[in-house]
């Protein structure tokens, strides 16, 4: 669960950073003087996002808490052969143990322990701890999981299987349900039927902290129960049928990414007041995002892993839909603009430069003009380097061609400095 939490924080952090950067850029682009507070708010969003990225990355890399791992002795760590499968035997039955040592650094990984027993099955199946998202997804109909009728098992374990009929056959045996629960009580996080073996998996396993003399032996006994007399036929023929939702999922990703690409309309239809665009785009985002989520759930829902795909689509889609809502609003406002265009010449009352920090420094140039809105604050626009150096404060003017916009968001078609 800790690694899942890390991934979740990382994704949300990235979302905050992207939305924050977009907000800062839009709020400063031709921003009305005095509205720097809006950029400050988005800057705070970036700061929070960076913290979440750092925390999420740290949690993901650590996985489960790892204690002091004994130093390898002739290729072994405690009772385990390090980083290589090891075949063991109990009561004439062979099983495999595979301990992977932790690796720190940029491409690090947590330690893990696998215990495997041969088992041929016509499909795959995974048993995980049921979490709040599993329960929520089932309650609203996105995910559908086989329910065995065993209250303890159904409450504690979430079953992912492409064939509900095979899950019903396999879990009809109470001994198998008890074995899954018992393996989890030993400390293993996941039990899985891969098609050729049944495996118990423990991420973040620390031999010095978690190992005891009967651990892998007890796990192998329980895995043997899961491998005994398994159903050999899948009534649903899931392997031959394939996954019908993959094409629909790809289609939804194309729609979401394509929608985000409408952000490029800002290049052609740049708003005079960025805050007007953001306020108008907000209800577009809320309504569209909810509708997109409902359509996605309808198209790809109904399987035991549908919510995994839906959740990823919605988290990343939050950013994509936010960008698209701003882009589509700007596009409609400009493309359907009834006009007419207005030519304006405003006195340049100040100019300034801004040089970014970091290795690749970049200087941007800005001109501040008097607002044409009665009682409005001054306004600032970006200009080229050559235009900037031709400006004489209090004398030069900025020529603007603006249009009212279909949605009432004033935007400019062009600008140039008049020395």
């Amino acid at each position: 669960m800790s690694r899942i939490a890390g991934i979740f924080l990382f994704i949300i952090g990235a979302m905050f950073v992207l939305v924050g950067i977009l907000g800062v850029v839009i709020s400063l682009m031709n921003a009305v003087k005095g509205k720097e507070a809006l950029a400050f708010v988005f800057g705070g969003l970036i700061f929070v996002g960076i913290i979440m990225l750092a925390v999420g990355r740290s949690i993901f890399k650590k996985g489960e808490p790892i204690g002091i791992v004994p130093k390898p002795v002739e290729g072994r760590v405690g009772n385990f052969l390090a980083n290589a499968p090891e075949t063991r035997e109990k009561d004439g039955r062979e099983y495999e143990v595979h301990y992977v040592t932790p690796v720190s650094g940029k491409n690090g990984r947590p330690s893990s322990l696998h215990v495997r027993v041969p088992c041929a099955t016509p499909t795959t199946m995974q048993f995980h701890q049921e979490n709040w998202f599993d329960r929520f997804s089932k309650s609203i109909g996105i995910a559908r999981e086989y329910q065995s009728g065993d209250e303890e098992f159904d409450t504690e374990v979430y079953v992912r299987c492409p064939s509900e009929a095979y899950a019903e056959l396999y879990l009809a045996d109470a001994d198998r349900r008890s074995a899954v629960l018992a393996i989890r009580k030993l400390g293993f996080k996941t039990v899985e039927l891969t098609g050729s073996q049944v495996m118990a998996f423990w991420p973040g396993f620390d031999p010095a902290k978690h190992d005891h003399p009967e651990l892998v032996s007890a796990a192998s006994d329980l895995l043997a129960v899961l491998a005994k007399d398994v159903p050999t036929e899948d009534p649903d023929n899931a392997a031959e049928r394939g996954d019908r939702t993959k094409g629909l999922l790809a289609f939804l990703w194309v729609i979401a990414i394509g929608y985000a690409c409408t952000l490029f309309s800002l290049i052609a239809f740049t708003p005079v007041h960025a805050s007007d665009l953001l306020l108008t785009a907000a209800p577009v985002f809320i309504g569209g995002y909810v509708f997109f989520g409902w359509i996605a759930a309808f198209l790809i829902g109904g399987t035991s892993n549908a919510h995994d795909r839906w959740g990823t689509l919605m988290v990343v889609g939050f950013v994509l839909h936010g960008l698209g809502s701003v882009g589509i609003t700007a596009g409609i406002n400009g493309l359907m603009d009834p006009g007419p265009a207005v030519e304006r010449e405003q006195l340049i009352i100040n100019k300034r430069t801004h040089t970014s920090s970091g290795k690749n420094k970049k200087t941007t140039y800005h001109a501040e003009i008097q607002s044409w809105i009665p009682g409005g604050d001054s306004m600032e626009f970006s200009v080229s380097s050559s235009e900037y150096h031709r400006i004489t404060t209090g004398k030069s003017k900025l020529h603007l061609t603006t249009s009212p916009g279909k949605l009432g968001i004033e935007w400019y078609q062009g600008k140039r400095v008049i020395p």
Side-chain angles (χ1 to χ4, degrees):
M1 279 298 295
S2 61
R3 298 196 78 195
I4 294 176
I7 294 172
F8 181 77
L9 280 173
F10 195 88
I11 292 174
I12 296 298
M15 176 187 71
F16 276 27
V17 170
L18 288 174
V19 173
I21 291 173
L22 176 65
V24 168
V25 170
I26 293 178
S27 60
L28 292 181
M29 183 188 300
N30 309 322
V32 176
K33 187 177 180 181
K35 291 197 174 182
E36 290 84 358
L38 185 61
F40 181 78
V41 170
F42 281 111
L45 197 65
I46 296 173
F47 179 74
V48 173
I50 290 173
I51 292 177
M52 295 180 72
L53 284 172
V55 174
R57 181 175 182 271
S58 176
I59 293 175
F60 178 79
K61 288 182 64 178
K62 290 180 180 179
E64 297 295 323
I66 300 174
I68 300 175
V69 179
K71 293 182 179 180
V73 179
E74 295 183 357
R76 302 192 71 83
V77 179
N79 295 318
F80 302 95
L81 180 65
N83 302 316
E86 178 183 13
T87 300
R88 299 187 184 183
E89 183 178 322
K90 181 180 181 183
D91 300 330
R93 169 176 46 80
E94 289 187 347
Y95 62 95
E96 185 179 87
V97 179
H98 188 187
Y99 170 67
V100 179
T101 58
V103 175
S104 59
K106 183 177 181 180
N107 298 313
R109 64 164 187 248
S111 59
S112 61
L113 176 66
H114 303 74
V115 181
R116 307 181 182 101
V117 169
C119 177
T121 55
T123 188
T124 60
M125 193 180 307
Q126 295 86 35
F127 305 96
H128 304 268
Q129 180 180 0
E130 183 166 292
N131 58 36
W132 68 269
F133 187 58
D134 297 325
R135 291 188 289 272
F136 170 76
S137 300
K138 288 193 293 183
S139 68
I140 62 176
I142 297 174
R144 186 177 67 189
E145 178 208 20
Y146 167 71
Q147 297 293 286
S148 66
D150 182 332
E151 183 176 357
E152 181 183 9
F153 181 86
D154 292 340
T155 301
E156 295 294 327
V157 178
Y158 189 84
V159 181
R160 286 172 170 81
C161 183
S163 170
E164 189 171 341
Y166 188 81
E168 181 178 3
L169 285 175
Y170 185 83
L171 294 172
D173 188 335
D175 289 340
R176 294 196 186 109
R177 300 195 301 271
S178 298
V180 171
L181 291 171
I183 291 173
R184 287 192 45 78
K185 288 178 181 178
L186 286 175
F188 291 89
K189 307 303 180 185
T190 304
V191 181
E192 181 176 0
L193 301 177
T194 67
S196 60
Q197 57 192 5
V198 57
M199 175 183 71
F201 174 58
W202 187 330
F205 179 80
D206 180 353
K209 182 178 179 180
H210 302 131
D211 191 26
H212 58 81
E214 300 301 320
L215 176 65
V216 295
S217 176
S220 71
D221 288 342
L222 294 167
L223 290 173
V225 173
L226 295 177
K228 183 179 179 182
D229 300 328
V230 298
T232 58
E233 299 292 333
D234 174 15
D236 286 342
N237 294 314
E240 289 77 15
R241 187 182 69 239
D243 188 347
R244 66 172 181 82
T245 64
K246 279 188 176 180
L248 294 172
L249 184 65
F251 171 74
L252 290 169
W253 275 111
V254 170
I255 293 296
I257 294 172
Y259 187 57
C261 288
T262 62
L263 186 68
F264 288 107
S265 64
L266 282 176
I267 298 174
F269 309 111
T270 307
V272 173
H273 306 294
S275 57
D276 292 344
L277 175 61
L278 293 176
L279 290 173
T280 304
V284 177
F285 166 73
I286 294 171
Y289 183 68
V290 172
F291 179 72
F292 179 75
W294 182 82
I295 289 294
F298 175 77
L299 291 177
I300 66 175
T303 64
S304 58
N305 68 341
H307 61 311
D308 301 326
R309 297 171 173 179
W310 182 82
T312 302
L313 179 65
M314 294 309 294
V315 169
V316 180
F318 185 92
V319 177
L320 298 177
H321 202 80
L323 300 177
S325 297
V326 171
I328 200 70
T329 301
I332 292 174
N333 182 68
L335 288 171
M336 301 180 68
D337 189 352
V342 179
E343 303 291 333
R344 305 180 187 277
E345 288 187 3
Q346 302 298 122
L347 184 67
I348 297 176
I349 60 176
N350 193 19
K351 65 177 183 177
R352 69 176 182 87
T353 63
H354 177 264
T355 302
S356 60
S357 59
K359 185 177 180 180
N360 299 317
K361 295 183 178 181
K362 182 180 180 180
T363 300
T364 54
Y365 303 87
H366 307 270
E368 185 178 343
I369 65 173
Q370 294 176 330
S371 175
W372 56 84
I373 301 174
D377 294 326
S378 61
M379 304 171 65
E380 191 174 81
F381 288 82
S382 61
V383 295
S384 67
S385 173
S386 60
E387 287 179 318
Y388 177 85
H389 289 99
R390 294 201 307 269
I391 293 175
T392 301
T393 302
K395 179 181 178 182
S396 301
K397 294 183 178 181
L398 187 67
H399 181 275
L400 291 166
T401 303
T402 68
S403 197
K406 176 66 176 179
L407 303 177
I409 306 168
E410 189 175 18
W411 60 283
Y412 66 88
Q413 300 178 13
K415 65 180 186 298
R416 60 186 175 87
V417 170
I418 302 175

